[in-house]
Amino acid sequence: MPKISEKGHQMPESPIRKLVPYSEKAKEKGVKVFHLNIGQPDIETPKAMIDAMHNLDAKVIEYSHSAGIISYRKKLCEYYAKHNIHITPDDIIVAAGASEAISFAMQTCLDPGDEIIIPEPFYANYNGFAISGGVKVKPIISKIEEDFALPPIAEFEKAITPATKAIMICNPNNPTGYLYSEEELKVLREIVKKYDLYLFADEVYREFCYDGKKHFSVMNLKDIEDNVVLLDSVSKRYSACGIRIGCMISKNKDVMSTAMKFAQARLSPPSLGQFASEAAMDTPDSYFDEMIAEYKARRDTVVDALNKMEGVVCPNPIGAFYVTTKLPIDNTDKFCQWLLEDFEYENKTVMMAPATGFYSTKGAGIDEVRISYVLNVNDLKAAMKCLEEALKVYPGRTI
Amino acid sequence: MPKISEKGHQMPESPIRKLVPYSEKAKEKGVKVFHLNIGQPDIETPKAMIDAMHNLDAKVIEYSHSAGIISYRKKLCEYYAKHNIHITPDDIIVAAGASEAISFAMQTCLDPGDEIIIPEPFYANYNGFAISGGVKVKPIISKIEEDFALPPIAEFEKAITPATKAIMICNPNNPTGYLYSEEELKVLREIVKKYDLYLFADEVYREFCYDGKKHFSVMNLKDIEDNVVLLDSVSKRYSACGIRIGCMISKNKDVMSTAMKFAQARLSPPSLGQFASEAAMDTPDSYFDEMIAEYKARRDTVVDALNKMEGVVCPNPIGAFYVTTKLPIDNTDKFCQWLLEDFEYENKTVMMAPATGFYSTKGAGIDEVRISYVLNVNDLKAAMKCLEEALKVYPGRTI
């Protein structure tokens, strides 16, 4: 039998999905499982997107332009302008989700052996895209005690080698929910400029900011326009993860013309998703106002409950819909599996993502979990009650 | 400004798209351009697929399973069983077109530096996927004088080195339209078995066989079940290129579990396209009967016309909707550009794909073009008339 590639062996299993067999067994036993493990929002997709499908007027569903339908890219420019990001359709390549956009960016800018610095914990799939491209991730730790703020500039400098080609951030952050401030980003700008690195920024949670705080985009960092690559998606913005529409944006013409060659190799992004995304632009502001109010209530529910549990440390994140929290446990992988295999409270249990999967440093995050607050407040309350009871009886409790 | 990756520099420009600026200029001058350059069929997408969108019943467009919606994969098994390919849903990973499926297969089976043998001319984007993965393509020539039949086994053996990990074929073939026979595939099987190679087969044109000839799938080659990876797409089958739904199929469990890690990294294939593709299974056989009759008439129109032109050599292909034909010209890239820039006949001209883009060997295909017969018979007749007149006056005519 022919051999699997080395790359294939190196690919990590998804930390979000590796517990699925255990959750399925729990459900078979009749236990209700609260899914706080994945970033699949339950918010309704805007009516305009569903209507676009109901009113689909096409005889042939054709390939679109490899960079995306031009009318959609024009509308995207209007959307970004509203968010104070000023671009033209040529600065955009529409992709099958932020996932494909990240792949394009990595392939365009980094070769095998090159290094990319990413503050950890970070979105686990960055690892997968890096391994695909033979790129080495150099993590630098964001500390939970500092609410996962941007690590000090000295830490970045320590991590830089001649092979360093890029820094990547996610803002607001998955898995921590941390919102990098304008000041922090300006610090990052200095190091990007000094070492002439690429700055990749995943801003898919742009709208998800609470407590009146505003998102500042890397696209507005002065003098590093040719270094910045923005990665985006409509998945979370419109609660439409399944349509697989994202994009890659840069003002760097060489980056865009090279990325187009990768985009042409796969012909086109999904047309139906683009039709829906174009229609989504007509979504009224009230949709977002309601969504943000709902997520704020959910965050408050989860963070309040966690901080009332003995031995739990939970920052109060300002963005996205995740918290990464420290629990009084020996091993998060064991604990999350135990919750599904050996625990139930009033016939319910909770599924969370072990934080180890979001760290690249071995052993880091061993007592942390990521919780996605993508359920309604009542379910979140019940889920937090389960977690509280679980921590009382978990055999591997540490304090 | 930071540097573009080496990989990015190596990526070829799409041979199908590099002439687009010239075709746009021709159109601006008021010249009608017959598009024989791309594989975008004009046949209507089945009503069942459009209806699936009109009747879309979803509040939230969610991520699907990373391997694809289970009900869709079950239906796919029924579809394949009708084509005498017997598989289970676990043997399938649904992907964003055959493009993504090919990427998964390459990443799962080949590392940078590994070699893949592909008979040329071949679908140009195989090159792109290979470069993305650092994989080296070793071409072996299929001769136009032999209708682009499978090269002799001795040619494969000559090309094999210790770095050879796979052979890739496209059957029926893009860009030649050649349909490999069961006998030819059994010859291929011997070499795959002898050297324990992977055999990747792109069978997206399975339905497109003419003159009563039947397609034989690599999935039915005995004793090499663990070596075979099938790559497929609904794009051509249902004239729905824009929905970006394909799949990767293998009975090799290690290949599938590794490919799943790559599939999980990008979360999910497009949901809307999967809904449409599942509905497509209800397309009546008459849809295909009519489509095949139409394409046969188109092929006959093009092949007859070409063979009547002086100095033109055109095989009569049995499958797909392409012909690769030899013209009495000095340089196909120059000729195809000249057609758009400097020629018109009764205010019309024709756009074709220079065959050089489908060869990996430098200089090969210099006097060949690929013609996609994706227009109706009357337009094809007019396009062939243009080509005939063009060949009479082209300054670089050789004979």
Side-chain angles (χ1 to χ4, degrees):
Chain A
M1 202 189 300
K3 278 188 197 148
I4 298 297
S5 66
E6 266 313 301
K7 207 186 273 189
H9 284 293
Q10 284 164 20
M11 277 293 283
E13 250 198 297
S14 163
I16 307 167
R17 291 170 199 246
K18 67 185 173 186
L19 292 172
V20 168
Y22 300 101
S23 70
E24 280 169 5
K25 267 187 224 155
K27 285 178 205 165
E28 277 165 27
K29 287 191 294 184
V31 175
K32 177 175 172 59
V33 178
F34 292 110
H35 281 274
L36 306 180
N37 56 310
I38 58 164
Q40 168 59 63
D42 64 337
I43 303 287
E44 286 190 12
T45 304
K47 193 171 170 299
M49 294 182 91
I50 307 285
D51 285 351
M53 294 299 101
H54 289 169
N55 302 325
L56 177 66
D57 180 23
K59 295 264 180 229
V60 188
I61 304 172
E62 299 187 352
Y63 289 123
S64 79
H65 189 289
S66 296
I69 297 169
I70 183 66
S71 58
Y72 175 47
R73 281 184 285 145
K74 282 182 182 164
K75 280 257 194 181
L76 271 177
C77 292
E78 292 171 28
Y79 160 81
Y80 285 109
K82 268 209 225 172
H83 288 268
N84 198 31
I85 297 170
H86 302 283
I87 54 170
T88 71
D90 290 343
D91 302 329
I92 306 174
I93 293 176
V94 178
S99 297
E100 190 179 58
I102 296 167
S103 281
F104 287 161
M106 288 235 189
Q107 305 231 49
T108 298
C109 304
L110 290 94
D111 277 304
D114 287 348
E115 295 176 358
I116 185 166
I117 297 174
I118 317 182
E120 67 177 352
F122 58 79
Y123 176 57
N125 289 326
Y126 295 161
N127 251 328
F129 302 125
I131 290 168
S132 284
V135 168
K136 196 171 164 197
V137 172
K138 293 268 283 225
I140 52 175
I141 291 231
S142 294
K143 294 185 182 153
I144 192 167
E145 301 80 26
E146 289 158 10
D147 294 353
F148 298 109
L150 192 75
I153 203 76
E155 295 300 313
F156 282 93
E157 299 230 56
K158 263 195 263 173
I160 289 175
T161 76
T164 307
K165 291 280 154 58
I167 292 173
M168 176 150 192
I169 59 164
C170 178
N171 188 34
N173 193 273
N174 173 7
T176 69
Y178 188 83
L179 177 71
Y180 294 118
S181 68
E182 186 174 341
E183 290 65 40
E184 282 173 296
L185 293 171
K186 285 183 172 166
V187 168
L188 207 50
R189 171 190 168 279
E190 290 312 308
I191 198 154
V192 165
K193 206 178 159 185
K194 180 171 169 189
Y195 293 93
D196 201 19
L197 305 174
Y198 285 108
L199 177 58
F200 295 167
D202 173 345
E203 298 186 354
V204 306
Y205 299 98
R206 179 178 305 110
E207 276 82 3
F208 298 79
C209 296
Y210 314 114
D211 308 334
K213 293 283 185 353
K214 290 271 170 255
H215 178 259
F216 183 86
S217 173
V218 290
M219 292 298 290
N220 291 317
L221 290 171
K222 296 267 178 301
D223 295 338
I224 57 164
E225 287 80 2
D226 281 335
N227 303 67
V228 166
V229 181
L230 176 63
L231 305 155
D232 210 343
S233 165
V234 305
S235 290
K236 314 293 171 171
R237 189 186 307 158
Y238 302 121
S239 196
C241 298
I243 68 166
R244 312 310 299 131
I245 296 295
C247 65
M248 166 182 173
I249 293 175
S250 180
K251 302 242 180 201
N252 183 320
K253 303 274 174 222
D254 289 347
V255 164
M256 294 312 281
S257 66
T258 304
M260 259 308 277
K261 296 195 283 183
F262 291 98
Q264 286 181 346
R266 64 62 163 128
L267 304 167
S268 111
S271 296
L272 295 172
Q274 289 183 84
F275 299 153
S277 298
E278 188 170 334
M281 305 288 185
D282 299 329
T283 304
D285 286 347
S286 59
Y287 176 85
F288 295 103
D289 295 343
E290 283 167 29
M291 182 169 75
I292 298 310
E294 173 65 23
Y295 276 112
K296 187 195 173 296
R298 292 173 178 194
R299 180 205 59 176
D300 292 345
T301 303
V302 168
V303 173
D304 288 355
L306 286 167
N307 280 319
K308 278 182 191 141
M309 296 178 206
E310 217 187 302
V312 172
V313 175
C314 183
N316 187 33
I318 307 296
F321 42 63
Y322 307 99
V323 296
T324 294
T325 180
K326 194 170 186 161
L327 305 178
I329 54 169
D330 58 343
N331 182 308
T332 183
D333 292 278
K334 270 166 61 182
F335 177 62
C336 291
Q337 184 176 329
W338 174 86
L339 278 168
L340 296 167
E341 258 195 318
D342 300 309
F343 176 79
E344 50 91 8
Y345 172 72
E346 293 180 349
N347 219 24
K348 299 178 199 118
T349 193
V350 57
M351 184 170 182
M352 302 179 296
T356 43
F358 301 96
Y359 286 87
S360 171
T361 301
K362 202 118 191 145
I366 193 77
D367 58 355
E368 298 173 7
V369 291
R370 185 192 74 171
I371 291 173
S372 312
Y373 44 92
V374 290
L375 305 180
N376 66 54
V377 167
N378 280 340
D379 280 354
L380 286 173
K381 279 183 184 161
M384 289 302 105
K385 182 69 183 160
C386 276
L387 178 60
E388 186 177 9
E389 295 302 319
L391 285 171
K392 286 180 189 165
V393 298
Y394 174 58
R397 184 176 174 110
T398 49
I399 46 168
Chain B
M1 201 188 304
K3 279 188 196 147
I4 298 297
S5 67
E6 266 314 301
K7 207 187 272 189
H9 284 293
Q10 285 164 20
M11 277 294 283
E13 251 199 296
S14 164
I16 307 168
R17 292 170 198 245
K18 66 183 170 185
L19 292 173
V20 168
Y22 301 101
S23 69
E24 280 169 6
K25 267 186 226 156
K27 285 179 206 164
E28 278 165 27
K29 286 192 293 182
V31 175
K32 178 174 169 64
V33 177
F34 292 110
H35 280 274
L36 306 179
N37 58 310
I38 59 165
Q40 168 61 62
D42 63 337
I43 302 287
E44 285 190 13
T45 304
K47 193 171 169 298
M49 295 182 92
I50 307 286
D51 285 351
M53 293 300 100
H54 289 169
N55 302 323
L56 177 66
D57 180 23
K59 295 263 180 231
V60 188
I61 305 173
E62 299 188 353
Y63 289 123
S64 78
H65 189 289
S66 296
I69 298 168
I70 183 67
S71 58
Y72 175 47
R73 280 184 286 145
K74 282 182 182 164
K75 281 258 194 180
L76 271 177
C77 293
E78 291 171 29
Y79 160 81
Y80 285 110
K82 269 208 223 171
H83 288 268
N84 198 31
I85 297 170
H86 301 283
I87 53 169
T88 70
D90 290 343
D91 302 329
I92 306 174
I93 293 176
V94 178
S99 298
E100 190 179 59
I102 296 167
S103 280
F104 288 161
M106 288 236 187
Q107 306 231 47
T108 298
C109 303
L110 290 95
D111 276 305
D114 287 348
E115 294 175 358
I116 184 165
I117 296 173
I118 316 182
E120 66 178 353
F122 57 80
Y123 176 58
N125 289 324
Y126 296 162
N127 250 329
F129 302 126
I131 289 168
S132 284
V135 169
K136 196 171 164 195
V137 172
K138 293 268 281 223
I140 51 175
I141 291 232
S142 295
K143 294 186 182 150
I144 191 167
E145 300 78 29
E146 288 158 9
D147 294 351
F148 298 109
L150 193 74
I153 203 77
E155 295 300 313
F156 282 94
E157 298 230 55
K158 262 195 263 174
I160 289 174
T161 75
T164 308
K165 291 281 155 57
I167 293 172
M168 177 150 194
I169 59 164
C170 178
N171 188 34
N173 192 273
N174 174 5
T176 69
Y178 188 84
L179 178 71
Y180 295 119
S181 67
E182 185 173 341
E183 291 64 40
E184 283 173 296
L185 293 171
K186 283 182 173 167
V187 167
L188 207 51
R189 171 189 169 278
E190 291 312 307
I191 199 154
V192 164
K193 207 178 160 186
K194 182 170 169 191
Y195 294 92
D196 201 18
L197 305 174
Y198 284 109
L199 176 59
F200 295 166
D202 173 344
E203 298 186 354
V204 306
Y205 298 99
R206 180 178 303 110
E207 276 81 3
F208 299 80
C209 297
Y210 314 115
D211 308 334
K213 293 284 185 354
K214 290 269 170 257
H215 178 258
F216 183 86
S217 173
V218 291
M219 292 298 289
N220 290 317
L221 291 171
K222 296 265 178 300
D223 295 338
I224 57 163
E225 287 80 1
D226 280 336
N227 302 69
V228 166
V229 181
L230 176 63
L231 305 156
D232 210 344
S233 166
V234 305
S235 290
K236 314 293 172 172
R237 190 186 306 159
Y238 303 121
S239 196
C241 298
I243 68 167
R244 313 310 300 133
I245 295 296
C247 65
M248 166 184 173
I249 294 175
S250 180
K251 300 241 181 205
N252 183 320
K253 305 273 175 222
D254 289 347
V255 164
M256 294 310 282
S257 66
T258 304
M260 260 307 277
K261 295 194 284 181
F262 291 99
Q264 286 180 347
R266 64 64 163 128
L267 303 166
S268 110
S271 296
L272 295 171
Q274 289 184 83
F275 299 154
S277 298
E278 187 169 336
M281 305 288 184
D282 299 330
T283 304
D285 286 347
S286 59
Y287 176 85
F288 295 104
D289 295 343
E290 283 167 29
M291 182 169 74
I292 298 310
E294 173 64 23
Y295 276 113
K296 187 195 172 296
R298 293 174 177 193
R299 180 206 58 177
D300 292 346
T301 303
V302 168
V303 173
D304 289 353
L306 286 168
N307 281 320
K308 278 183 192 142
M309 294 178 207
E310 217 187 302
V312 172
V313 175
C314 184
N316 187 32
I318 307 295
F321 42 63
Y322 307 100
V323 298
T324 293
T325 181
K326 193 170 184 160
L327 305 179
I329 54 168
D330 57 342
N331 182 306
T332 184
D333 292 278
K334 268 165 61 182
F335 177 62
C336 291
Q337 186 176 327
W338 174 86
L339 278 168
L340 297 167
E341 260 194 318
D342 299 309
F343 177 79
E344 50 91 6
Y345 172 73
E346 294 180 349
N347 220 24
K348 298 178 199 119
T349 193
V350 58
M351 185 171 181
M352 303 180 295
T356 42
F358 300 97
Y359 286 86
S360 173
T361 301
K362 202 113 190 149
I366 194 78
D367 57 355
E368 298 173 8
V369 291
R370 185 192 75 171
I371 292 173
S372 312
Y373 45 92
V374 290
L375 304 180
N376 66 55
V377 167
N378 280 339
D379 280 354
L380 287 174
K381 279 183 185 160
M384 289 302 105
K385 181 68 182 161
C386 277
L387 178 60
E388 188 178 6
E389 295 301 319
L391 286 172
K392 287 180 191 165
V393 296
Y394 176 56
R397 182 174 175 112
T398 48
I399 46 170

